[in-house]
Amino acid sequence: QVQLVESGGGLVQAGGSLRLSCAASGSISSINSMGWYRQAPGKQRELVAVITSSGSTNYADSVKGRFTISRDSAKNTLYLQMNSLKPEDTAVYYCNAHTLFDYWGQGTQVTVAS
């Protein structure tokens, strides 16, 4: 079992920045990869960024060059630095941990005002 708790969402003006955090606990050693997903109203949940246990990263085309995923293994914490935010980035952002199963956090709202 893996428990995930996100924080750092909020309201920001277009062009601004936010940093999301995801604190992981439980069976940390079983995690193969961690990522951030988002879901806007009326839309399906989509991958934003993922980082593997080896440190490889992958991003959705819509956020490349603006968002950076990183992790602090000592703190068991995943981050998403979001810069140059756009109104279309508005969504609930979820932290994911992938083992043999998928674990999800409760989500944190990000709202970007135009």
Side-chain angles (χ1 to χ4, degrees), residues 53-66:
S53 56
S54 64
S56 297
T57 59
N58 195 28
Y59 296 89
D61 288 342
S62 58
V63 307
K64 282 181 181 177
R66 300 189 297 122

Side-chain angles (χ1 to χ4, degrees), residues 36-54:
W36 291 96
Y37 289 71
R38 67 187 181 187
Q39 188 167 18
K43 294 187 176 181
Q44 290 189 331
R45 191 172 297 188
E46 63 176 0
L47 174 69
V48 176
V50 63
I51 185 166
T52 68
S53 56
S54 64

Side-chain angles (χ1 to χ4, degrees), residues 1-2 25-32 53 76 98-99:
Q1 290 267 354
V2 176
S25 60
S27 301
I28 304 296
S29 61
S30 65
I31 296 174
N32 297 314
S53 56
N76 294 327
H98 180 70
T99 63

Side-chain angles (χ1 to χ4, degrees), residues 94-106:
Y94 297 91
C95 177
N96 167 270
H98 180 70
T99 63
L100 290 177
F101 308 98
D102 279 311
Y103 296 92
W104 298 92
Q106 81 285 358

